[in-house]
PDB file of all heavy atoms in Angstrom:
ATOM      1  N   ILE H   1      55.679 -30.866-247.096  1.00 88.00           N
ATOM      2  CA  ILE H   1      56.270 -30.255-245.899  1.00 88.00           C
ATOM      3  C   ILE H   1      55.656 -30.867-244.643  1.00 88.00           C
ATOM      4  O   ILE H   1      56.297 -31.222-243.701  1.00 88.00           O
ATOM      5  CB  ILE H   1      56.144 -28.716-245.918  1.00 88.00           C
ATOM      6  CG1 ILE H   1      57.070 -28.157-247.015  1.00 88.00           C
ATOM      7  CG2 ILE H   1      56.469 -28.124-244.554  1.00 88.00           C
ATOM      8  CD1 ILE H   1      56.862 -26.672-247.287  1.00 88.00           C
ATOM      9  N   LYS H   2      54.285 -31.002-244.663  1.00 87.00           N
ATOM     10  CA  LYS H   2      53.607 -31.586-243.517  1.00 87.00           C
ATOM     11  C   LYS H   2      54.064 -33.033-243.297  1.00 87.00           C
ATOM     12  O   LYS H   2      54.284 -33.452-242.174  1.00 87.00           O
ATOM     13  CB  LYS H   2      52.078 -31.539-243.749  1.00 87.00           C
ATOM     14  CG  LYS H   2      51.482 -30.198-243.549  1.00 87.00           C
ATOM     15  CD  LYS H   2      49.959 -30.232-243.736  1.00 87.00           C
ATOM     16  CE  LYS H   2      49.343 -28.848-243.619  1.00 87.00           C
ATOM     17  NZ  LYS H   2      47.913 -28.906-243.822  1.00 87.00           N
ATOM     18  N   GLN H   3      54.209 -33.779-244.377  1.00 84.00           N
ATOM     19  CA  GLN H   3      54.669 -35.158-244.269  1.00 84.00           C
ATOM     20  C   GLN H   3      56.078 -35.239-243.711  1.00 84.00           C
ATOM     21  O   GLN H   3      56.383 -36.072-242.844  1.00 84.00           O
ATOM     22  CB  GLN H   3      54.626 -35.865-245.634  1.00 84.00           C
ATOM     23  CG  GLN H   3      53.217 -36.217-246.083  1.00 84.00           C
ATOM     24  CD  GLN H   3      53.214 -36.895-247.432  1.00 84.00           C
ATOM     25  OE1 GLN H   3      54.167 -36.844-248.194  1.00 84.00           O
ATOM     26  NE2 GLN H   3      52.098 -37.553-247.755  1.00 84.00           N
ATOM     27  N   ALA H   4      56.935 -34.329-244.188  1.00 83.00           N
ATOM     28  CA  ALA H   4      58.315 -34.295-243.681  1.00 83.00           C
ATOM     29  C   ALA H   4      58.355 -33.917-242.203  1.00 83.00           C
ATOM     30  O   ALA H   4      59.106 -34.507-241.427  1.00 83.00           O
ATOM     31  CB  ALA H   4      59.148 -33.315-244.496  1.00 83.00           C
ATOM     32  N   GLN H   5      57.522 -32.961-241.785  1.00 87.00           N
ATOM     33  CA  GLN H   5      57.468 -32.572-240.386  1.00 87.00           C
ATOM     34  C   GLN H   5      56.945 -33.720-239.528  1.00 87.00           C
ATOM     35  O   GLN H   5      57.459 -33.965-238.424  1.00 87.00           O
ATOM     36  CB  GLN H   5      56.567 -31.353-240.214  1.00 87.00           C
ATOM     37  CG  GLN H   5      57.200 -30.084-240.749  1.00 87.00           C
ATOM     38  CD  GLN H   5      56.242 -28.902-240.789  1.00 87.00           C
ATOM     39  OE1 GLN H   5      55.022 -29.068-240.808  1.00 87.00           O
ATOM     40  NE2 GLN H   5      56.797 -27.698-240.795  1.00 87.00           N
ATOM     41  N   LYS H   6      55.932 -34.471-240.007  1.00 85.00           N
ATOM     42  CA  LYS H   6      55.436 -35.612-239.265  1.00 85.00           C
ATOM     43  C   LYS H   6      56.502 -36.686-239.169  1.00 85.00           C
ATOM     44  O   LYS H   6      56.703 -37.272-238.101  1.00 85.00           O
ATOM     45  CB  LYS H   6      54.166 -36.188-239.914  1.00 85.00           C
ATOM     46  CG  LYS H   6      53.597 -37.355-239.141  1.00 85.00           C
ATOM     47  CD  LYS H   6      52.345 -37.912-239.744  1.00 85.00           C
ATOM     48  CE  LYS H   6      51.708 -39.056-239.026  1.00 85.00           C
ATOM     49  NZ  LYS H   6      52.485 -39.827-238.091  1.00 85.00           N
ATOM     50  N   LEU H   7      57.197 -36.948-240.265  1.00 83.00           N
ATOM     51  CA  LEU H   7      58.265 -37.940-240.252  1.00 83.00           C
ATOM     52  C   LEU H   7      59.346 -37.526-239.253  1.00 83.00           C
ATOM     53  O   LEU H   7      59.829 -38.377-238.470  1.00 83.00           O
ATOM     54  CB  LEU H   7      58.870 -38.112-241.636  1.00 83.00           C
ATOM     55  CG  LEU H   7      60.021 -39.092-241.762  1.00 83.00           C
ATOM     56  CD1 LEU H   7      59.581 -40.491-241.362  1.00 83.00           C
ATOM     57  CD2 LEU H   7      60.573 -39.094-243.175  1.00 83.00           C
ATOM     58  N   GLN H   8      59.739 -36.280-239.239  1.00 86.00           N
ATOM     59  CA  GLN H   8      60.747 -35.795-238.308  1.00 86.00           C
ATOM     60  C   GLN H   8      60.285 -35.975-236.879  1.00 86.00           C
ATOM     61  O   GLN H   8      61.027 -36.467-235.990  1.00 86.00           O
ATOM     62  CB  GLN H   8      61.071 -34.339-238.568  1.00 86.00           C
ATOM     63  CG  GLN H   8      62.155 -33.803-237.660  1.00 86.00           C
ATOM     64  CD  GLN H   8      62.488 -32.341-237.931  1.00 86.00           C
ATOM     65  OE1 GLN H   8      61.665 -31.612-238.501  1.00 86.00           O
ATOM     66  NE2 GLN H   8      63.656 -31.921-237.515  1.00 86.00           N
ATOM     67  N   SER H   9      59.004 -35.632-236.618  1.00 88.00           N
ATOM     68  CA  SER H   9      58.443 -35.779-235.252  1.00 88.00           C
ATOM     69  C   SER H   9      58.407 -37.273-234.857  1.00 88.00           C
ATOM     70  O   SER H   9      58.802 -37.621-233.733  1.00 88.00           O
ATOM     71  CB  SER H   9      57.042 -35.209-235.232  1.00 88.00           C
ATOM     72  OG  SER H   9      56.403 -35.501-234.023  1.00 88.00           O
ATOM     73  N   ASP H  10      57.981 -38.126-235.766  1.00 85.00           N
ATOM     74  CA  ASP H  10      57.947 -39.571-235.500  1.00 85.00           C
ATOM     75  C   ASP H  10      59.349 -40.119-235.247  1.00 85.00           C
ATOM     76  O   ASP H  10      59.537 -40.999-234.382  1.00 85.00           O
ATOM     77  CB  ASP H  10      57.261 -40.327-236.646  1.00 85.00           C
ATOM     78  CG  ASP H  10      55.778 -40.037-236.742  1.00 85.00           C
ATOM     79  OD1 ASP H  10      55.203 -39.442-235.788  1.00 85.00           O
ATOM     80  OD2 ASP H  10      55.174 -40.406-237.762  1.00 85.00           O
ATOM     81  N   MET H  11      60.329 -39.637-236.012  1.00 84.00           N
ATOM     82  CA  MET H  11      61.689 -40.115-235.844  1.00 84.00           C
ATOM     83  C   MET H  11      62.254 -39.717-234.476  1.00 84.00           C
ATOM     84  O   MET H  11      62.928 -40.510-233.831  1.00 84.00           O
ATOM     85  CB  MET H  11      62.582 -39.623-236.987  1.00 84.00           C
ATOM     86  CG  MET H  11      62.300 -40.300-238.303  1.00 84.00           C
ATOM     87  SD  MET H  11      63.273 -39.664-239.663  1.00 84.00           S
ATOM     88  CE  MET H  11      64.856 -40.392-239.262  1.00 84.00           C
ATOM     89  N   MET H  12      61.962 -38.499-234.064  1.00 87.00           N
ATOM     90  CA  MET H  12      62.426 -38.037-232.756  1.00 87.00           C
ATOM     91  C   MET H  12      61.773 -38.847-231.646  1.00 87.00           C
ATOM     92  O   MET H  12      62.461 -39.222-230.677  1.00 87.00           O
ATOM     93  CB  MET H  12      62.148 -36.561-232.609  1.00 87.00           C
ATOM     94  CG  MET H  12      63.005 -35.686-233.489  1.00 87.00           C
ATOM     95  SD  MET H  12      62.607 -33.921-233.416  1.00 87.00           S
ATOM     96  CE  MET H  12      63.131 -33.542-231.736  1.00 87.00           C
ATOM     97  N   LYS H  13      60.496 -39.146-231.780  1.00 87.00           N
ATOM     98  CA  LYS H  13      59.791 -39.949-230.797  1.00 87.00           C
ATOM     99  C   LYS H  13      60.394 -41.362-230.739  1.00 87.00           C
ATOM    100  O   LYS H  13      60.650 -41.891-229.674  1.00 87.00           O
ATOM    101  CB  LYS H  13      58.291 -40.015-231.127  1.00 87.00           C
ATOM    102  CG  LYS H  13      57.494 -40.847-230.150  1.00 87.00           C
ATOM    103  CD  LYS H  13      56.024 -40.891-230.567  1.00 87.00           C
ATOM    104  CE  LYS H  13      55.253 -41.835-229.663  1.00 87.00           C
ATOM    105  NZ  LYS H  13      53.915 -42.075-230.138  1.00 87.00           N
ATOM    106  N   MET H  14      60.646 -41.925-231.935  1.00 85.00           N
ATOM    107  CA  MET H  14      61.210 -43.258-231.985  1.00 85.00           C
ATOM    108  C   MET H  14      62.604 -43.276-231.361  1.00 85.00           C
ATOM    109  O   MET H  14      62.947 -44.210-230.623  1.00 85.00           O
ATOM    110  CB  MET H  14      61.314 -43.766-233.452  1.00 85.00           C
ATOM    111  CG  MET H  14      61.880 -45.163-233.557  1.00 85.00           C
ATOM    112  SD  MET H  14      62.376 -45.597-235.211  1.00 85.00           S
ATOM    113  CE  MET H  14      63.805 -44.609-235.426  1.00 85.00           C
ATOM    114  N   GLN H  15      63.413 -42.263-231.630  1.00 83.00           N
ATOM    115  CA  GLN H  15      64.766 -42.220-231.080  1.00 83.00           C
ATOM    116  C   GLN H  15      64.705 -42.181-229.549  1.00 83.00           C
ATOM    117  O   GLN H  15      65.452 -42.879-228.873  1.00 83.00           O
ATOM    118  CB  GLN H  15      65.511 -41.005-231.601  1.00 83.00           C
ATOM    119  CG  GLN H  15      66.925 -40.921-231.097  1.00 83.00           C
ATOM    120  CD  GLN H  15      67.680 -39.737-231.669  1.00 83.00           C
ATOM    121  OE1 GLN H  15      67.166 -38.931-232.407  1.00 83.00           O
ATOM    122  NE2 GLN H  15      68.947 -39.596-231.280  1.00 83.00           N
ATOM    123  N   THR H  16      63.808 -41.386-229.007  1.00 86.00           N
ATOM    124  CA  THR H  16      63.634 -41.318-227.571  1.00 86.00           C
ATOM    125  C   THR H  16      63.249 -42.664-226.987  1.00 86.00           C
ATOM    126  O   THR H  16      63.793 -43.120-225.986  1.00 86.00           O
ATOM    127  CB  THR H  16      62.583 -40.233-227.179  1.00 86.00           C
ATOM    128  OG1 THR H  16      63.045 -38.978-227.681  1.00 86.00           O
ATOM    129  CG2 THR H  16      62.392 -40.162-225.690  1.00 86.00           C
ATOM    130  N   GLU H  17      62.288 -43.313-227.639  1.00 84.00           N
ATOM    131  CA  GLU H  17      61.837 -44.641-227.194  1.00 84.00           C
ATOM    132  C   GLU H  17      62.992 -45.646-227.263  1.00 84.00           C
ATOM    133  O   GLU H  17      63.154 -46.469-226.360  1.00 84.00           O
ATOM    134  CB  GLU H  17      60.671 -45.135-228.026  1.00 84.00           C
ATOM    135  CG  GLU H  17      59.385 -44.354-227.773  1.00 84.00           C
ATOM    136  CD  GLU H  17      58.252 -44.724-228.741  1.00 84.00           C
ATOM    137  OE1 GLU H  17      58.480 -45.519-229.684  1.00 84.00           O
ATOM    138  OE2 GLU H  17      57.169 -44.161-228.585  1.00 84.00           O
ATOM    139  N   MET H  18      63.754 -45.609-228.340  1.00 82.00           N
ATOM    140  CA  MET H  18      64.858 -46.565-228.512  1.00 82.00           C
ATOM    141  C   MET H  18      65.924 -46.338-227.434  1.00 82.00           C
ATOM    142  O   MET H  18      66.514 -47.281-226.937  1.00 82.00           O
ATOM    143  CB  MET H  18      65.476 -46.446-229.889  1.00 82.00           C
ATOM    144  CG  MET H  18      64.549 -46.791-231.048  1.00 82.00           C
ATOM    145  SD  MET H  18      63.929 -48.485-231.011  1.00 82.00           S
ATOM    146  CE  MET H  18      65.397 -49.408-231.198  1.00 82.00           C
ATOM    147  N   GLU H  19      66.199 -45.085-227.092  1.00 84.00           N
ATOM    148  CA  GLU H  19      67.218 -44.760-226.100  1.00 84.00           C
ATOM    149  C   GLU H  19      66.808 -45.287-224.703  1.00 84.00           C
ATOM    150  O   GLU H  19      67.677 -45.539-223.880  1.00 84.00           O
ATOM    151  CB  GLU H  19      67.467 -43.266-226.061  1.00 84.00           C
ATOM    152  CG  GLU H  19      68.250 -42.764-227.253  1.00 84.00           C
ATOM    153  CD  GLU H  19      68.459 -41.269-227.254  1.00 84.00           C
ATOM    154  OE1 GLU H  19      67.899 -40.560-226.396  1.00 84.00           O
ATOM    155  OE2 GLU H  19      69.170 -40.819-228.161  1.00 84.00           O
ATOM    156  N   GLU H  20      65.526 -45.465-224.476  1.00 86.00           N
ATOM    157  CA  GLU H  20      65.062 -45.927-223.184  1.00 86.00           C
ATOM    158  C   GLU H  20      65.068 -47.441-223.075  1.00 86.00           C
ATOM    159  O   GLU H  20      64.915 -47.979-221.993  1.00 86.00           O
ATOM    160  CB  GLU H  20      63.635 -45.398-222.941  1.00 86.00           C
ATOM    161  CG  GLU H  20      63.579 -43.897-222.760  1.00 86.00           C
ATOM    162  CD  GLU H  20      62.171 -43.357-222.697  1.00 86.00           C
ATOM    163  OE1 GLU H  20      61.196 -44.127-222.863  1.00 86.00           O
ATOM    164  OE2 GLU H  20      62.021 -42.132-222.480  1.00 86.00           O
ATOM    165  N   GLN H  21      65.276 -48.125-224.183  1.00 91.00           N
ATOM    166  CA  GLN H  21      65.304 -49.601-224.149  1.00 91.00           C
ATOM    167  C   GLN H  21      66.670 -50.108-223.800  1.00 91.00           C
ATOM    168  O   GLN H  21      67.657 -49.384-223.851  1.00 91.00           O
ATOM    169  CB  GLN H  21      64.877 -50.161-225.499  1.00 91.00           C
ATOM    170  CG  GLN H  21      63.412 -49.846-225.811  1.00 91.00           C
ATOM    171  CD  GLN H  21      62.912 -50.628-226.996  1.00 91.00           C
ATOM    172  OE1 GLN H  21      63.479 -51.659-227.367  1.00 91.00           O
ATOM    173  NE2 GLN H  21      61.849 -50.184-227.598  1.00 91.00           N
ATOM    174  N   SER H  22      66.722 -51.396-223.450  1.00 92.00           N
ATOM    175  CA  SER H  22      68.010 -52.045-223.219  1.00 92.00           C
ATOM    176  C   SER H  22      68.000 -53.385-223.942  1.00 92.00           C
ATOM    177  O   SER H  22      66.933 -53.959-224.238  1.00 92.00           O
ATOM    178  CB  SER H  22      68.253 -52.238-221.729  1.00 92.00           C
ATOM    179  OG  SER H  22      67.282 -53.074-221.168  1.00 92.00           O
ATOM    180  N   TYR H  23      69.177 -53.848-224.269  1.00 94.00           N
ATOM    181  CA  TYR H  23      69.350 -55.082-225.048  1.00 94.00           C
ATOM    182  C   TYR H  23      70.357 -55.965-224.314  1.00 94.00           C
ATOM    183  O   TYR H  23      71.441 -55.510-223.976  1.00 94.00           O
ATOM    184  CB  TYR H  23      69.866 -54.739-226.442  1.00 94.00           C
ATOM    185  CG  TYR H  23      68.947 -53.739-227.137  1.00 94.00           C
ATOM    186  CD1 TYR H  23      69.159 -52.370-226.994  1.00 94.00           C
ATOM    187  CD2 TYR H  23      67.852 -54.174-227.847  1.00 94.00           C
ATOM    188  CE1 TYR H  23      68.292 -51.458-227.572  1.00 94.00           C
ATOM    189  CE2 TYR H  23      66.994 -53.269-228.435  1.00 94.00           C
ATOM    190  CZ  TYR H  23      67.195 -51.920-228.287  1.00 94.00           C
ATOM    191  OH  TYR H  23      66.331 -51.003-228.861  1.00 94.00           O
ATOM    192  N   THR H  24      69.956 -57.186-224.073  1.00 96.00           N
ATOM    193  CA  THR H  24      70.745 -58.124-223.263  1.00 96.00           C
ATOM    194  C   THR H  24      71.208 -59.294-224.123  1.00 96.00           C
ATOM    195  O   THR H  24      70.457 -59.808-224.947  1.00 96.00           O
ATOM    196  CB  THR H  24      69.909 -58.643-222.091  1.00 96.00           C
ATOM    197  OG1 THR H  24      69.463 -57.549-221.320  1.00 96.00           O
ATOM    198  CG2 THR H  24      70.736 -59.568-221.201  1.00 96.00           C
ATOM    199  N   ALA H  25      72.436 -59.698-223.926  1.00 96.00           N
ATOM    200  CA  ALA H  25      72.988 -60.858-224.590  1.00 96.00           C
ATOM    201  C   ALA H  25      73.906 -61.592-223.646  1.00 96.00           C
ATOM    202  O   ALA H  25      74.486 -61.012-222.729  1.00 96.00           O
ATOM    203  CB  ALA H  25      73.746 -60.482-225.851  1.00 96.00           C
ATOM    204  N   GLN H  26      73.990 -62.898-223.847  1.00 96.00           N
ATOM    205  CA  GLN H  26      74.823 -63.740-223.005  1.00 96.00           C
ATOM    206  C   GLN H  26      75.813 -64.530-223.865  1.00 96.00           C
ATOM    207  O   GLN H  26      75.566 -64.723-225.065  1.00 96.00           O
ATOM    208  CB  GLN H  26      73.971 -64.714-222.204  1.00 96.00           C
ATOM    209  CG  GLN H  26      73.071 -64.035-221.233  1.00 96.00           C
ATOM    210  CD  GLN H  26      72.222 -65.047-220.432  1.00 96.00           C
ATOM    211  OE1 GLN H  26      71.899 -66.125-220.907  1.00 96.00           O
ATOM    212  NE2 GLN H  26      71.889 -64.669-219.203  1.00 96.00           N
ATOM    213  N   SER H  27      76.871 -64.951-223.243  1.00 95.00           N
ATOM    214  CA  SER H  27      77.824 -65.844-223.922  1.00 95.00           C
ATOM    215  C   SER H  27      78.321 -66.881-222.924  1.00 95.00           C
ATOM    216  O   SER H  27      78.122 -66.758-221.720  1.00 95.00           O
ATOM    217  CB  SER H  27      79.007 -65.043-224.521  1.00 95.00           C
ATOM    218  OG  SER H  27      79.774 -64.464-223.488  1.00 95.00           O
ATOM    219  N   GLY H  28      78.955 -67.898-223.491  1.00 94.00           N
ATOM    220  CA  GLY H  28      79.494 -68.965-222.608  1.00 94.00           C
ATOM    221  C   GLY H  28      78.434 -69.693-221.843  1.00 94.00           C
ATOM    222  O   GLY H  28      78.631 -70.059-220.699  1.00 94.00           O
ATOM    223  N   GLY H  29      77.259 -69.861-222.459  1.00 94.00           N
ATOM    224  CA  GLY H  29      76.177 -70.553-221.786  1.00 94.00           C
ATOM    225  C   GLY H  29      75.571 -69.748-220.644  1.00 94.00           C
ATOM    226  O   GLY H  29      74.980 -70.311-219.739  1.00 94.00           O
ATOM    227  N   GLY H  30      75.747 -68.474-220.657  1.00 95.00           N
ATOM    228  CA  GLY H  30      75.165 -67.596-219.650  1.00 95.00           C
ATOM    229  C   GLY H  30      76.104 -67.132-218.576  1.00 95.00           C
ATOM    230  O   GLY H  30      75.683 -66.463-217.634  1.00 95.00           O
ATOM    231  N   VAL H  31      77.389 -67.515-218.677  1.00 95.00           N
ATOM    232  CA  VAL H  31      78.324 -67.086-217.609  1.00 95.00           C
ATOM    233  C   VAL H  31      78.703 -65.602-217.761  1.00 95.00           C
ATOM    234  O   VAL H  31      79.192 -65.020-216.761  1.00 95.00           O
ATOM    235  CB  VAL H  31      79.584 -67.967-217.560  1.00 95.00           C
ATOM    236  CG1 VAL H  31      79.222 -69.399-217.150  1.00 95.00           C
ATOM    237  CG2 VAL H  31      80.363 -67.948-218.842  1.00 95.00           C
ATOM    238  N   VAL H  32      78.515 -65.023-218.936  1.00 96.00           N
ATOM    239  CA  VAL H  32      78.765 -63.602-219.130  1.00 96.00           C
ATOM    240  C   VAL H  32      77.506 -62.997-219.733  1.00 96.00           C
ATOM    241  O   VAL H  32      76.989 -63.483-220.736  1.00 96.00           O
ATOM    242  CB  VAL H  32      79.978 -63.348-220.046  1.00 96.00           C
ATOM    243  CG1 VAL H  32      80.115 -61.838-220.320  1.00 96.00           C
ATOM    244  CG2 VAL H  32      81.251 -63.872-219.417  1.00 96.00           C
ATOM    245  N   THR H  33      76.988 -61.910-219.098  1.00 96.00           N
ATOM    246  CA  THR H  33      75.813 -61.216-219.589  1.00 96.00           C
ATOM    247  C   THR H  33      76.164 -59.743-219.760  1.00 96.00           C
ATOM    248  O   THR H  33      76.758 -59.131-218.868  1.00 96.00           O
ATOM    249  CB  THR H  33      74.654 -61.339-218.578  1.00 96.00           C
ATOM    250  OG1 THR H  33      74.371 -62.726-218.377  1.00 96.00           O
ATOM    251  CG2 THR H  33      73.408 -60.643-219.078  1.00 96.00           C
ATOM    252  N   ALA H  34      75.807 -59.222-220.928  1.00 96.00           N
ATOM    253  CA  ALA H  34      76.044 -57.794-221.215  1.00 96.00           C
ATOM    254  C   ALA H  34      74.704 -57.141-221.512  1.00 96.00           C
ATOM    255  O   ALA H  34      73.850 -57.684-222.169  1.00 96.00           O
ATOM    256  CB  ALA H  34      76.977 -57.643-222.407  1.00 96.00           C
ATOM    257  N   VAL H  35      74.542 -55.909-220.989  1.00 96.00           N
ATOM    258  CA  VAL H  35      73.340 -55.137-221.232  1.00 96.00           C
ATOM    259  C   VAL H  35      73.772 -53.814-221.872  1.00 96.00           C
ATOM    260  O   VAL H  35      74.616 -53.109-221.321  1.00 96.00           O
ATOM    261  CB  VAL H  35      72.539 -54.881-219.932  1.00 96.00           C
ATOM    262  CG1 VAL H  35      71.296 -54.060-220.250  1.00 96.00           C
ATOM    263  CG2 VAL H  35      72.188 -56.190-219.260  1.00 96.00           C
ATOM    264  N   ILE H  36      73.178 -53.520-223.026  1.00 94.00           N
ATOM    265  CA  ILE H  36      73.508 -52.297-223.788  1.00 94.00           C
ATOM    266  C   ILE H  36      72.255 -51.411-223.788  1.00 94.00           C
ATOM    267  O   ILE H  36      71.140 -51.894-223.994  1.00 94.00           O
ATOM    268  CB  ILE H  36      73.882 -52.655-225.251  1.00 94.00           C
ATOM    269  CG1 ILE H  36      75.053 -53.626-225.307  1.00 94.00           C
ATOM    270  CG2 ILE H  36      74.135 -51.411-226.076  1.00 94.00           C
ATOM    271  CD1 ILE H  36      76.352 -53.047-224.835  1.00 94.00           C
ATOM    272  N   SER H  37      72.467 -50.128-223.592  1.00 92.00           N
ATOM    273  CA  SER H  37      71.323 -49.190-223.674  1.00 92.00           C
ATOM    274  C   SER H  37      71.072 -48.832-225.121  1.00 92.00           C
ATOM    275  O   SER H  37      71.876 -49.090-226.008  1.00 92.00           O
ATOM    276  CB  SER H  37      71.637 -47.919-222.873  1.00 92.00           C
ATOM    277  OG  SER H  37      72.598 -47.124-223.593  1.00 92.00           O
TER     278      SER H  37
END
């Protein structure tokens, strides 16, 4: 139960951290840039 609770807490922390990041990609040699949260 303690391990499951820690895993749940770690997963919630990771989800929050992931939501704060952004991911950028380009196409056409850089003429189009998209940023995804």
Side-chain angles (χ1 to χ4, degrees):
I1 290 170
K2 285 181 183 179
Q3 286 179 342
Q5 288 171 337
K6 181 178 181 341
L7 178 61
Q8 182 180 22
S9 173
D10 291 348
M11 288 178 74
M12 290 176 68
K13 180 181 174 189
M14 181 193 72
Q15 182 178 2
T16 300
E17 290 172 357
M18 297 299 298
E19 288 177 353
E20 293 172 356
Q21 293 193 20
S22 62
Y23 306 89
T24 303
Q26 296 179 330
S27 66
V31 295
V32 175
T33 302
V35 180
I36 302 293
S37 74

